[in-house]
Amino acid sequence: MDALPPNFWDKRRCFLPPPDDINHAVEHLTLAAKAHDQADYEAAAHQIKCADIQVLEDWRYLISGPSNQKIHRIRPATDIPPLLPKNNRLKARMPLANAQSKLIQKYGYHCTYCDVPLIDLKTFKRMKKKYPNAARWGSINTEKHHALKAMSLTFDHVIPHSRGGNNDIENLVISCQTCNCGKGNSTLEELGLFDPRNKERAPSQWNGLVDRFK
Ligand SMILES: [Zn+2]
């Protein structure tokens, strides 16, 4: 077995910072939204295609693909709530729309773990309707547009839903799908992650392209 990296036990904000290419994807998608506003649909489609960058999928796969101890760094921890049988978990898996809005107001359109800029489901649906052929909209990861997959906004239960975590706003944060899947059923302590709720957030111009692509 390979030696563990020297920083294995250090606490960290996220599993692995996103590659710089995420900024290129954001630039392309912002240009796509502008082109769409100007009714230049061909240019918008081109920019959406340009944002489909393989490196983003490689990053996502390292974190939310098969268990990878160098990335996930699972460690012994205390007071881990037991994994609940599916029937004993809270039935509603996702927060209600009102709570979702409050969480976005509180945390903005960035992952509270890795800071990746995010786009919510409503905007994705509009993009898919307007540009069904510009992005890959398949149902499995390899058939999805890499940037749009990496930038999917999700709601993460800090205490995992599978361990009795509820849908109270205090137990939820905004997360990218990659960090959310990477975290899975584990607690912050088991993963050596700082609590994302306490993180200081830098001001950002990114607002998730909300209300665009209409
Ligand atoms: Zn993330």
Side-chain angles (χ1 to χ4, degrees):
M1 188 179 147
D2 293 343
L4 295 174
N7 60 350
F8 184 89
W9 301 105
D10 293 353
K11 282 189 81 174
R12 60 223 166 116
R13 296 280 176 211
C14 65
F15 295 104
L16 193 64
D20 289 343
D21 298 74
I22 194 70
N23 297 320
H24 298 140
V26 165
E27 284 164 21
H28 286 302
L29 294 173
T30 304
L31 287 172
K34 279 186 188 161
H36 181 84
D37 289 346
Q38 292 160 3
D40 189 347
Y41 304 123
E42 202 174 313
H46 173 70
Q47 292 295 343
I48 292 171
K49 278 185 187 168
C50 288
D52 193 357
I53 301 169
Q54 176 66 41
V55 174
L56 299 175
E57 168 60 11
D58 300 341
W59 169 76
R60 186 205 65 76
Y61 185 80
L62 273 177
I63 298 169
S64 63
S67 178
N68 179 337
Q69 183 60 341
K70 281 191 181 171
I71 301 289
H72 297 113
R73 306 187 194 173
I74 297 280
R75 64 203 61 200
T78 54
D79 298 329
I80 311 288
L83 207 54
L84 298 177
K86 288 210 166 130
N87 285 346
N88 292 6
R89 297 176 192 175
L90 197 67
K91 294 284 177 289
R93 179 77 178 79
M94 279 296 111
L96 298 173
N98 186 32
Q100 293 188 13
S101 301
K102 282 186 183 164
L103 285 161
I104 289 173
Q105 269 174 23
K106 186 173 178 184
Y107 295 111
Y109 285 89
H110 284 269
C111 176
T112 50
Y113 296 98
C114 74
D115 279 332
V116 151
L118 299 172
I119 298 176
D120 69 15
L121 192 59
K122 282 185 199 160
T123 303
F124 277 130
K125 283 184 175 169
R126 285 197 304 277
M127 289 177 81
K128 187 174 179 180
K129 195 170 169 195
K130 301 281 182 186
Y131 298 96
N133 302 317
R136 298 174 301 124
W137 303 102
S139 55
I140 59 170
N141 289 330
T142 50
E143 292 173 359
K144 290 182 178 177
H145 183 288
H146 298 320
L148 297 182
K149 172 80 184 164
M151 294 170 74
S152 298
L153 186 152
T154 70
F155 300 93
D156 176 59
H157 294 80
V158 178
I159 298 172
H161 174 255
S162 55
R163 294 188 183 275
N166 61 28
N167 283 335
D168 291 352
I169 288 206
E170 292 71 28
N171 189 44
L172 289 161
V173 289
I174 302 287
S175 166
C176 70
Q177 203 167 64
T178 305
C179 290
N180 199 338
C181 292
K183 192 164 159 273
N185 294 328
S186 303
T187 64
L188 299 176
E189 194 187 0
E190 286 179 288
L191 296 162
L193 290 169
F194 285 114
D195 191 326
R197 296 168 295 195
N198 302 333
K199 182 172 161 183
E200 276 191 34
R201 269 158 279 282
S204 169
Q205 299 291 316
W206 176 255
N207 76 343
L209 299 176
V210 71
D211 293 330
R212 308 297 291 273
F213 297 105
K214 282 187 170 168

